[in-house]
Amino acid sequence: MPPQHIGIIMDGNGRWARKRNQVRTQGHLEGLKAAKRLVKAASDMGVSYLTLYAFSTENWKRTQEEVGFIMGLVKRYLIEEMDFYRQNGIRIRHTGDFAGLPVDIGREIRRAMEDTRDFRGLQVILALNYGGRDEIRRAVERLVRAGVSVTEDAIGQHLDNPDIPDPDLIIRTAGELRTSNFLLWEAAYSEYYISDILWPDWTEADLTAAVADFQKRERRYGGVPGGNEP
Ligand code: IPE
Ligand code: IPE
Ligand code: MG
């Protein structure tokens, strides 16, 4: 059985470009191609949810040119891939601060979510303008506004997509050993897989290797192996 939910921190686009003496935006263009490859691979593998970290709440620190380029790519991806979503039954969703997105991107995300709402295959969750701390803050804000007591369950129920199970496996490409604010709440018991391969170089085989590694892990959730014998 493949993991039900995989999250990917798609990192290394800039380094991929620099290695080739190209501009960073070229790396993002190749990164988009990798995203398309890996969405198909996850769909073929029978994964139910794939969360792609495309733009963090901290990525606004980058130049206006780079930010604009990334947003443009996302918009194009949402518009141009509709046939692909239909053929593969892919449902598009979003996590992150929707209100803080440029209006035209927000509009395309909403449209793609509407148009793919009834598709029953892989759900692709675009983490765009996403920060783990920001998501928790917004959840707590909703709770307080609703006058609900602050329990773990209640926080979980007020996150961006409460129906989506926590990620089983979180992949980070390009080698950094940090979460960079990705799915902080949901990743409490996720298995991590860090790969040195830069995101634009990722292929189906790399996903297969990550999943095979995941399948060897023993998930204990704080318990002891094999049960509770003394
Ligand atoms: C990941 O690649 C894409 C985004 C964060 C949007 P980077 O652009 O962070 O690439 P590096 O880390 O500079 O190589
Ligand atoms: C994480 O990558 C964010 C995304 C992949 C969208 P960054 O490149 O922003 O992370 P840091 O700055 O290396 O922590
Ligand atoms: Mg990076």
Side-chain angles (χ1 to χ4, degrees):
M1 283 282 280
Q4 189 183 16
H5 182 178
I6 300 178
I8 308 185
I9 303 172
M10 310 182 288
D11 198 18
N13 294 354
R15 277 163 278 177
W16 185 94
R18 202 185 319 126
K19 261 172 60 179
R20 287 163 180 75
N21 284 321
Q22 293 174 358
V23 286
R24 294 179 57 83
T25 47
Q26 191 61 33
H28 296 313
L29 202 58
E30 291 301 320
L32 175 63
K33 291 183 195 163
K36 288 186 198 173
R37 273 199 302 279
L38 274 297
V39 166
K40 180 76 168 78
S43 164
D44 291 347
M45 213 180 255
V47 171
S48 303
Y49 305 91
L50 179 69
T51 299
L52 296 177
Y53 202 7
F55 194 88
S56 75
T57 46
E58 287 72 49
N59 286 147
W60 297 104
K61 292 176 189 162
R62 300 186 181 199
T63 65
Q64 217 180 337
E65 188 206 356
E66 183 170 346
V67 169
F69 190 87
I70 293 169
M71 291 296 163
L73 280 185
V74 171
K75 188 171 167 183
R76 216 168 81 190
Y77 176 73
L78 291 169
I79 296 172
E80 289 178 359
E81 297 300 318
M82 194 55 213
D83 285 346
F84 170 76
Y85 305 148
R86 193 175 293 109
Q87 279 154 18
N88 292 278
I90 288 169
R91 179 173 171 195
I92 299 293
R93 303 185 64 174
H94 172 258
T95 183
D97 177 18
F98 192 87
L101 284 170
V103 177
D104 58 328
I105 305 291
R107 196 187 307 124
E108 287 310 327
I109 290 180
R110 189 167 284 139
R111 185 200 48 75
M113 291 199 303
E114 282 295 318
D115 291 353
T116 63
R117 150 164 267 129
D118 297 327
F119 295 165
R120 289 285 167 262
L122 173 68
Q123 301 197 22
V124 174
I125 303 103
L126 290 177
L128 194 69
N129 196 20
Y130 179 84
R133 287 184 173 182
D134 179 64
E135 186 189 19
I136 296 167
R137 181 194 61 74
R138 286 184 289 103
V140 172
E141 203 169 73
R142 288 176 198 130
L143 276 188
V144 170
R145 206 177 301 135
V148 178
S149 13
V150 183
T151 62
E152 286 194 13
D153 272 353
I155 294 174
Q157 285 307 312
H158 288 77
L159 294 172
D160 288 345
N161 293 298
D163 63 302
I164 298 181
D166 289 343
D168 303 290
L169 169 63
I170 292 182
I171 295 170
R172 180 159 193 151
T173 71
E176 307 297 348
L177 302 176
R178 52 177 172 262
T179 69
S180 300
N181 209 5
F182 186 50
L183 302 181
L184 296 185
W185 183 273
E186 298 88 337
Y189 276 99
S190 302
E191 298 292 329
Y192 279 88
Y193 180 88
I194 315 283
S195 156
D196 285 334
I197 299 169
L198 305 177
W199 176 246
D201 289 328
W202 260 62
T203 65
E204 294 80 352
D206 298 312
L207 185 66
T208 306
V211 167
D213 191 274
F214 164 82
Q215 281 165 338
K216 287 188 288 201
R217 312 272 180 97
E218 184 189 27
R219 304 182 76 186
R220 289 191 291 276
Y221 300 97
V224 290
N228 280 323
E229 263 116 82

